[in-house]
Amino acid sequence: GENVEQHPSTLSVQEGDSAVIKCTYSDSASNYFPWYKQELGKRPQLIIDIRSNVGEKKDQRIAVTLNKTAKHFSLHITETQPEDSAVYFCAAPKETSGSRLTFGEGTQLTVNP
Amino acid sequence: DAMVIQNPRYQVTQFGKPVTLSCSQTLNHNVMYWYQQKSSQAPKLLFHYYDKDFNNEADTPDNFQSRRPNTSFCFLDIRSPGLGDAAMYLCATSRDFSGEETQYFGPGTRLLVL
């Protein structure tokens, strides 16, 4: 089954700086990689995802890059704001033929004003 | 508009007293999932339904059961809750089971076991 590792576990940045969170996965056949943001006491919300036919995807201040050869993908947040403070989870499919997800352990991002 | 709804948002039960958590969806999605999330941890998949087909994760305790009476509703039954079952329980849905499907989460039910 898929194994997903996420780093760092905590990340503190100053408002306006960039933040980068990295994940590695084990199954080279995986082809879908979502990122979820979870604020304290709330549901995980999908913020961006990438499929294996592209290497990068951007949505305003958020971007995700995928390196299938190295089996890692990264979340990039530019011009961070205090409201970006949350726990971020990466995920990958447990198997290629289904939609069950394995989540990384999460990164607590704190953006200091 | 709420798309994945969970009730109640907070549930208190006693040690060993059965409890049922509910999830409903207005998305008409084929797949529904139940996750357990403990404090400061990632969501952990317990099981999922693809339409009426039930699929248990290998490490889900027998204490946890699920029912899906129709497309819209799915229930999580905890037969004899222990202190270690206190957690946030998240329901999620996806349109299908293709391997590239987005999962949409409900707000969760926080379970407290006394």
Side-chain angles (χ1 to χ4, degrees):
Chain A
E2 182 70 275
N3 184 43
V4 177
E5 294 190 1
Q6 183 172 346
H7 300 282
S9 56
T10 61
L11 180 60
S12 182
V13 299
Q14 289 298 122
E15 182 177 359
D17 288 350
S18 296
V20 180
I21 303 170
K22 298 181 179 179
C23 287
T24 61
Y25 60 98
S26 58
D27 187 350
S28 58
S30 291
N31 51 13
Y32 173 65
F33 307 93
W35 284 92
Y36 286 86
K37 174 184 180 183
Q38 188 175 29
E39 296 177 48
L40 189 63
K42 296 190 175 180
R43 76 185 78 194
Q45 287 199 299
L46 180 76
I47 54 171
I48 197 167
D49 57 16
I50 191 167
R51 290 168 171 80
S52 60
N53 57 340
V54 297
E56 182 176 1
K57 183 177 177 181
K58 288 187 73 173
D59 182 2
Q60 299 183 342
R61 297 187 297 109
I62 295 172
V64 56
T65 58
L66 172 63
N67 183 327
K68 289 219 71 177
T69 303
K71 292 190 285 188
H72 67 72
F73 57 110
S74 300
L75 177 70
H76 304 254
I77 306 174
T78 58
E79 300 172 33
T80 53
Q81 301 166 2
E83 50 265 39
D84 295 329
S85 297
V87 179
Y88 291 81
F89 292 100
C90 64
K94 280 181 180 274
E95 69 278 305
T96 54
S97 61
S99 294
R100 296 152 68 223
L101 293 175
T102 296
F103 284 82
E105 289 304 306
T107 297
Q108 173 68 62
L109 173 65
T110 302
V111 180
N112 301 300
Chain B
D1 291 334
M3 296 184 291
V4 184
I5 304 156
Q6 290 188 246
N7 287 303
R9 295 294 308 278
Y10 300 90
Q11 176 74 56
V12 181
T13 191
Q14 293 178 330
F15 183 94
K17 184 175 180 181
V19 65
T20 295
L21 310 181
S22 75
C23 177
S24 63
Q25 52 128 343
T26 60
L27 297 163
N28 203 34
H29 282 177
N30 287 322
V31 191
M32 296 185 78
Y33 309 80
W34 278 105
Y35 289 86
Q36 180 192 65
Q37 186 177 29
K38 296 191 175 181
S39 183
S40 302
Q41 296 184 18
K44 180 177 180 296
L45 184 63
L46 296 173
F47 26 62
H48 75 274
Y49 272 94
Y50 182 26
D51 196 10
K52 294 185 188 300
D53 291 334
F54 174 74
N55 297 271
N56 208 29
E57 294 300 300
D59 56 355
T60 298
D62 292 340
N63 201 24
F64 291 85
Q65 304 286 322
S66 185
R67 297 169 283 135
R68 189 179 185 187
N70 54 53
T71 299
S72 300
F73 284 87
C74 195
F75 300 98
L76 170 62
D77 301 308
I78 308 177
R79 292 192 295 188
S80 182
L83 298 179
D85 296 328
M88 173 78 88
Y89 289 88
L90 294 161
C91 174
T93 72
S94 66
R95 185 183 57 85
D96 214 321
F97 202 67
S98 69
E100 298 186 5
E101 296 287 340
T102 299
Q103 290 191 22
Y104 299 89
F105 283 85
T109 294
R110 185 166 294 282
L111 178 68
L112 182 62
V113 181
L114 301 178

